[in-house]
């Protein structure tokens, strides 16, 4: 009788569920995974090295490109690390704007995760539903920063500018495929400010999440593909360094927004959803509830921002630019502006670590300064990198098709993993 041998299979990088550039080497016994070896070196962005050759301000837009689904959350960790080294205070209004956009980003991230996870497992319609809501939030990004994806909105000391008083509208003259009546309907909730539009979104969004749950939560096929798949115990989740929904799905209530509050999270009322079984289905439920909680946080920020005007960036012009008006009327402000955008600011020698509760887990920036205008060293603690290390343990004993479900439950983006 011939000897039966395991054989190896390349899962990705061409596989659609490999999310672009993951190469998984699977050792198989028939269709059962005996070992999974993730190879991550296919998208090296060199962000950490590039930052050492850019002034502190120029390095900031690279953060958007790390995890291109959680743009402002990445920016937040970076500017907090720089602010720690500089020892500067951020105006309270800027802190509320940052928290609001962190949660908008969390919803954007989870919508793409839900659409892609559904698509991976065969729920085609989910992708169309989730992108409907992503459009509205992308428009909010564009309204405040001018970009739909790579916003570069946060700054050391605050944010680039205050929320605009006008929400951009669709132009009937440019939308030939739609009638004027259709365009008027599309602009129905865009006649106020950006805050009004966000407020309107928060009122509509819970009904949309209900729609997603109607499609998936009790769906027989969805449960067959996710219940009992990739179970990870609380003890192993801690040992493997999992964070975010990955550890909360295993029943551990760990969330930096509550345990190590930053900005104004300690003034905001919200709950931390946790799972029970630590499988793909529980992690799905955790993320669904996170979207509802993010919506709740955004509502509270909108209410506060409506009644509390004020500055949105530090008045220390060694770090933050003066207003355009002052710069054009005052020689000292002109010099500040010129120095800031040519030479940048010099950061006192020292080291700092700042972490945020990123949609995927703990995202941290470790900065070392030698007193120059560029970081001496930057190290990124990406949530997805630690999660990939758990792939072998979680995949063993499962079928090839379950590896696809595991890829979805990780919610990985490779820009931050191979940085």
């Amino acid at each position: 009788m011939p000897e039966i041998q395991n054989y190896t299979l390349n899962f990705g990088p061409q596989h659609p569920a490999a999310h672009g550039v993951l190469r998984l080497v699977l050792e198989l016994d028939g269709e059962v995974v005996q070992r999974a070896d993730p190879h991550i070196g296919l998208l090296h962005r060199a962000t950490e090295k590039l930052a050492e050759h850019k002034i502190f301000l120029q390095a900031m837009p690279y953060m958007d490109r790390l995890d291109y689904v959680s743009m402002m959350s990445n920016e937040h960790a970076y500017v907090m690390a720089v602010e720690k080294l500089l020892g500067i205070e951020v105006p309270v209004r800027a802190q509320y704007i940052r928290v609001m956009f962190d949660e908008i980003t969390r919803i954007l991230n989870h919508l793409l995760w839900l659409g892609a996870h559904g698509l991976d497992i065969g729920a085609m319609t989910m992708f169309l539903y989730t992108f409907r809501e992503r459009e509205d939030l992308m428009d909010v990004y564009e309204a405040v920063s001018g970009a739909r994806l790579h916003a570069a909105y946060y700054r050391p000391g605050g944010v680039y500018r205050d929320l605009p008083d006008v929400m951009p509208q669709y132009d009937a003259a440019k939308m030939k495929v739609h009638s004027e009546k259709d365009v008027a309907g599309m602009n129905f909730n865009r006649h106020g400010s950006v805050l009004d539009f966000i407020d309107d979104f928060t009122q509509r969004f819970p009904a949309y999440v209900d729609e997603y749950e109607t499609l998936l939560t009790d769906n027989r096929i969805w449960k067959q593909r996710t219940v009992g798949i990739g179970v990870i115990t609380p003890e192993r989740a801690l040992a493997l360094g999992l964070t975010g929904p990955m550890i909360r799905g295993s029943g551990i209530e760990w969330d930096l927004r509550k345990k190590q509050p930053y900005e104004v999270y300690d003034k905001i009322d919200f709950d931390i959803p946790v799972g029970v079984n630590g499988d793909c289905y529980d992690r799905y439920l955790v993320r669904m509830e996170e979207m509802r909680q993010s919506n709740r946080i955004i509502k509270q920020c909108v209410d506060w921002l409506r009644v509390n005007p004020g500055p949105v960036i530090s008045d220390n012009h060694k770090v933050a630019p003066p207003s355009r008006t002052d710069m054009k009327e005052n020689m000292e402000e002109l010099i500040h502006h010129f120095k800031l955008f040519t030479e940048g600011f010099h950061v006192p020698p020292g080291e700092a670590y700042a972490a945020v509760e990123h949609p995927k887990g703990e995202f941290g920036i470790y900065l070392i300064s030698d007193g120059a205008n560029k970081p001496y060293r930057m190290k990124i603690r990406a949530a997805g990198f630690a999660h990939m290390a758990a792939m072998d343990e979680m995949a063993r004993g499962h079928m090839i098709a379950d590896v696809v479900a595991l890829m979805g439950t990780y919610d990985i983006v490779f820009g931050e993993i191979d940085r």
Side-chain angles (χ1 to χ4, degrees), residues 262-300:
Y262 51 95
E263 306 296 15
V264 290
Y265 275 114
D266 54 345
K267 300 176 186 171
I268 288 172
D269 184 34
F270 65 100
D271 300 317
I272 306 173
V274 291
V276 178
N277 305 306
D279 58 5
C280 287
Y281 188 67
D282 272 19
R283 291 187 283 271
Y284 154 77
L285 292 174
V286 163
R287 287 187 175 104
M288 296 303 279
E289 182 57 27
E290 276 190 13
M291 287 198 280
R292 296 185 192 275
Q293 294 301 324
S294 291
N295 199 56
R296 190 173 154 199
I297 294 169
I298 294 166
K299 269 185 182 171
Q300 293 171 63

Side-chain angles (χ1 to χ4, degrees), residues 146-331:
R148 285 167 59 83
L149 216 59
H150 301 318
Y153 179 57
Y154 292 13
R155 294 285 188 280
V159 293
Y160 159 57
R161 63 170 182 175
D162 208 340
L163 302 171
D165 294 329
V166 179
M167 184 68 195
Q169 297 186 18
Y170 293 103
D171 186 351
K174 292 179 181 175
M175 303 187 71
K176 305 293 186 187
V177 293
H178 295 283
S179 67
E180 287 198 17
K181 185 182 175 184
D182 288 342
V183 174
M186 292 158 75
N187 285 329
F188 177 73
N189 52 10
R190 292 168 179 262
H191 292 295
S193 65
V194 168
L195 261 184
D196 292 332
F197 183 76
I198 296 170
D199 189 30
D200 176 75
F201 180 86
T202 60
Q203 292 168 39
R204 293 182 281 125
F205 190 60
Y208 297 144
V209 183
D210 291 343
E211 285 182 2
Y212 310 149
E213 296 233 48
T214 303
L215 283 167
L216 287 187
T217 303
D218 289 322
N219 183 303
R220 178 173 55 86
I221 302 170
W222 181 256
K223 291 182 80 168
Q224 285 172 346
R225 293 300 306 272
T226 55
V227 172
I229 303 298
V231 175
I232 195 143
T233 63
E235 296 76 23
R236 288 306 298 156
L238 277 171
L240 288 162
L242 305 187
T243 51
M246 291 294 293
I247 198 168
R248 291 193 286 274
S250 293
I252 295 178
E253 197 183 65
W254 176 254
D255 189 313
L256 294 180
R257 296 171 295 173
K258 286 276 193 190
K259 307 300 182 186
Q260 299 172 11
Y262 51 95
E263 306 296 15
V264 290
Y265 275 114
D266 54 345
K267 300 176 186 171
I268 288 172
D269 184 34
F270 65 100
D271 300 317
I272 306 173
V274 291
V276 178
N277 305 306
D279 58 5
C280 287
Y281 188 67
D282 272 19
R283 291 187 283 271
Y284 154 77
L285 292 174
V286 163
R287 287 187 175 104
M288 296 303 279
E289 182 57 27
E290 276 190 13
M291 287 198 280
R292 296 185 192 275
Q293 294 301 324
S294 291
N295 199 56
R296 190 173 154 199
I297 294 169
I298 294 166
K299 269 185 182 171
Q300 293 171 63
C301 291
V302 167
D303 293 342
W304 190 93
L305 288 165
R306 279 194 195 284
V307 293
N308 290 280
V312 295
I313 196 162
S314 170
D315 58 1
N316 177 354
H317 296 321
K318 294 275 188 255
V319 174
S323 75
R324 303 287 295 179
T325 311
D326 293 345
M327 185 262 286
K328 288 173 181 176
E329 294 176 354
N330 183 322
M331 177 54 79

Side-chain angles (χ1 to χ4, degrees), residues 19-266:
H19 292 243
V21 285
L22 169 67
R23 177 182 174 225
L24 263 182
V25 181
L26 301 178
E27 190 176 308
L28 301 171
D29 177 7
E31 267 197 69
V32 178
V33 178
Q34 301 296 307
R35 184 167 167 270
D37 183 14
H39 287 228
I40 60 164
L42 296 170
L43 178 78
H44 191 52
R45 306 193 76 110
T47 305
E48 294 168 338
K49 200 68 190 166
L50 281 166
E52 295 171 21
H53 298 274
K54 303 283 179 189
I55 63 175
F56 281 91
L57 198 58
Q58 287 172 336
M60 209 280 299
Y62 283 110
M63 299 302 116
D64 291 310
R65 290 152 176 83
L66 282 167
D67 178 350
Y68 33 81
V69 191
S70 306
M71 299 70 65
M72 291 199 201
S73 295
N74 304 333
E75 295 175 20
H76 199 170
Y78 178 76
V79 296
M80 277 171 52
V82 175
E83 286 157 5
K84 271 189 181 179
L85 286 169
L86 288 167
I88 57 172
E89 287 289 317
V90 178
V92 181
R93 184 173 173 86
Q95 292 185 38
Y96 270 95
I97 290 173
R98 283 178 176 185
V99 165
M100 182 173 75
F101 273 100
D102 275 12
E103 298 308 316
I104 285 173
T105 304
R106 193 177 312 279
I107 292 175
L108 274 169
N109 181 96
H110 286 356
L111 287 174
L112 184 74
W113 156 79
L114 182 62
H117 192 17
L119 204 58
D120 289 347
I121 294 180
M124 303 289 290
T125 317
M126 282 312 304
F127 207 70
L128 304 175
Y129 273 68
T130 57
F131 267 66
R132 177 187 61 188
E133 277 69 72
R134 269 178 66 85
E135 279 303 304
D136 279 349
L137 295 179
M138 288 274 107
D139 287 347
V140 173
Y141 255 54
E142 190 173 6
V144 297
S145 71
R148 285 167 59 83
L149 216 59
H150 301 318
Y153 179 57
Y154 292 13
R155 294 285 188 280
V159 293
Y160 159 57
R161 63 170 182 175
D162 208 340
L163 302 171
D165 294 329
V166 179
M167 184 68 195
Q169 297 186 18
Y170 293 103
D171 186 351
K174 292 179 181 175
M175 303 187 71
K176 305 293 186 187
V177 293
H178 295 283
S179 67
E180 287 198 17
K181 185 182 175 184
D182 288 342
V183 174
M186 292 158 75
N187 285 329
F188 177 73
N189 52 10
R190 292 168 179 262
H191 292 295
S193 65
V194 168
L195 261 184
D196 292 332
F197 183 76
I198 296 170
D199 189 30
D200 176 75
F201 180 86
T202 60
Q203 292 168 39
R204 293 182 281 125
F205 190 60
Y208 297 144
V209 183
D210 291 343
E211 285 182 2
Y212 310 149
E213 296 233 48
T214 303
L215 283 167
L216 287 187
T217 303
D218 289 322
N219 183 303
R220 178 173 55 86
I221 302 170
W222 181 256
K223 291 182 80 168
Q224 285 172 346
R225 293 300 306 272
T226 55
V227 172
I229 303 298
V231 175
I232 195 143
T233 63
E235 296 76 23
R236 288 306 298 156
L238 277 171
L240 288 162
L242 305 187
T243 51
M246 291 294 293
I247 198 168
R248 291 193 286 274
S250 293
I252 295 178
E253 197 183 65
W254 176 254
D255 189 313
L256 294 180
R257 296 171 295 173
K258 286 276 193 190
K259 307 300 182 186
Q260 299 172 11
Y262 51 95
E263 306 296 15
V264 290
Y265 275 114
D266 54 345

